[in-house]
Amino acid sequence: MKKILLLVLITSHNLMAQTLLVPMKNVDLASYKEQCKKSGYICTDIFMIEKLKSEYTPKFDQLIETLDLMNDLERKKLPDDIQNILKTEMISVEQLNSLTQICEKALSLESDRKIEFIKKEMSVVASSIDKLSENESESTTYIILKKKFSEKQFALIKNRISNYKYYKIDAYGISDKNSNTIYFLSGDCDHHQIAQTLTDRLNSLQTLPIFEKECTFSAEVHKSLSSASNFVVEYKTPLIWTAVAASALLFLKNYDVEFK
């Protein structure tokens, strides 16, 4: 029986090794940050920042792979293609510089006021970004050209990136340049939902919802598992509950395991 118990505990521990803690918008930020920065846990804002910085750019890739600047029609539609990329994809500074070089090459073949304008605009943005060092605050971070900036830094370049795709991220949610906010967690202890923008990026990562007040079920799970040789970490309010904890509690009740 001890071997069976040990297997359950080891399995549960491994599943909790990488856990994304997802808070409700009314959860105290300082308490949340204290918990999610501990070993084995991940903060939602840090998770989303890293995902956005590694986001694919299919439109940019296609332009680079298929563009034929010797084709008059392709040169004519180049400004529109580039603007579409800037508005819809999270490209990097390096990719932005590549688009600038493409414009320079196109202009060497033929003068075009639209291409000249967008090239100059991209050069100004790239220069502005280069002058800022990456920085993130405890509360809010902006992701622009796959770099992270504080609110004060964002204010310095806001007017220059109005046509670019960027995100505002904090522990509770994410919003785009149109201020459309998506909260990572909604509902309550009994009926909650994690936003699709998170679930689409999770892969095998496990999530744990955090609420402002302790959930009744959470307290029962915590009490039962804490007695098992202090298996569960001592969570501070608010407590959290998971499918792993529920399974462990069910195992304890069904098999009447004793701890000695």
Side-chain angles (χ1 to χ4, degrees):
M1 183 62 70
K2 290 182 179 180
K3 291 182 179 180
I4 295 176
L5 173 63
L6 182 61
L7 177 62
V8 172
L9 297 183
I10 291 177
T11 301
S12 298
H13 179 73
N14 288 338
L15 287 173
M16 295 178 68
Q18 287 296 320
T19 304
L20 179 66
L21 303 186
V22 187
M24 283 289 289
K25 58 183 178 180
N26 55 3
V27 169
D28 179 70
L29 181 61
S31 298
Y32 170 73
K33 286 289 186 177
E34 180 183 357
Q35 182 64 33
C36 71
K37 286 184 177 180
K38 293 180 180 178
S39 177
Y41 297 126
I42 305 174
C43 302
T44 48
D45 50 347
I46 294 176
F47 172 80
M48 283 300 299
I49 288 170
E50 293 307 312
K51 286 296 183 180
L52 291 173
K53 291 180 72 172
S54 61
E55 199 169 67
Y56 291 116
T57 54
K59 293 179 182 178
F60 172 87
D61 295 342
Q62 183 178 13
L63 178 68
I64 296 297
E65 293 171 2
T66 63
L67 181 63
D68 179 9
L69 289 177
M70 301 304 296
N71 186 304
D72 293 343
L73 291 178
E74 290 199 28
R75 285 202 310 275
K76 290 296 182 182
K77 69 184 186 68
L78 181 61
D80 292 335
D81 290 340
I82 290 179
Q83 287 183 329
N84 184 37
I85 291 172
L86 298 178
K87 290 180 179 180
T88 61
E89 292 192 335
M90 176 63 67
I91 63 172
S92 65
V93 174
E94 292 73 22
Q95 289 173 312
L96 183 67
N97 289 332
S98 295
L99 294 176
T100 302
Q101 292 171 4
I102 289 174
C103 288
E104 290 176 351
K105 180 62 177 178
L107 290 170
S108 70
L109 299 173
E110 180 185 21
S111 177
D112 186 293
R113 295 179 64 181
K114 284 187 176 180
I115 295 178
E116 181 65 37
F117 175 81
I118 197 169
K119 181 186 80 71
K120 182 178 180 180
E121 182 185 65
M122 291 190 295
S123 297
V124 171
V125 170
S127 177
S128 300
I129 293 293
D130 286 340
K131 293 177 182 178
L132 301 176
S133 58
E134 284 196 82
N135 186 23
E136 61 180 306
S137 65
E138 287 291 309
S139 55
T140 302
T141 299
Y142 286 84
I143 296 296
I144 308 160
L145 294 173
K146 293 190 174 180
K147 289 183 175 293
K148 51 190 179 182
F149 300 108
S150 66
E151 288 188 276
K152 289 184 178 180
Q153 290 175 313
F154 172 76
L156 297 175
I157 58 175
K158 180 178 180 180
N159 293 334
R160 296 173 181 171
I161 59 168
S162 58
N163 291 325
Y164 289 61
K165 184 173 184 178
Y166 63 81
Y167 290 101
K168 176 182 178 182
I169 302 171
D170 59 28
Y172 311 106
I174 181 172
S175 58
D176 58 23
K177 66 179 183 180
N178 297 318
S179 299
N180 297 318
T181 302
I182 298 175
Y183 290 106
F184 296 135
L185 180 64
S186 58
D188 53 33
C189 291
D190 297 322
H191 302 93
H192 67 272
Q193 182 176 1
I194 295 177
Q196 188 173 350
T197 189
L198 274 183
T199 58
D200 286 346
R201 294 176 167 90
L202 289 176
N203 295 325
S204 59
L205 186 65
Q206 162 173 283
T207 61
L208 294 179
I210 299 184
F211 302 95
E212 181 183 24
K213 296 181 180 180
E214 178 180 321
C215 299
T216 303
F217 180 71
S218 172
E220 182 180 1
V221 171
H222 182 266
K223 180 178 179 180
S224 298
L225 293 182
S226 292
S227 64
S229 302
N230 294 321
F231 163 63
V232 174
V233 178
E234 182 182 2
Y235 295 111
K236 296 182 179 180
T237 303
L239 296 180
I240 53 183
W241 62 271
T242 69
V244 174
S247 298
L249 178 59
L250 182 61
F251 179 89
L252 298 178
K253 290 182 177 180
N254 290 345
Y255 291 91
D256 193 25
V257 178
E258 294 183 0
F259 300 94
K260 297 182 180 179

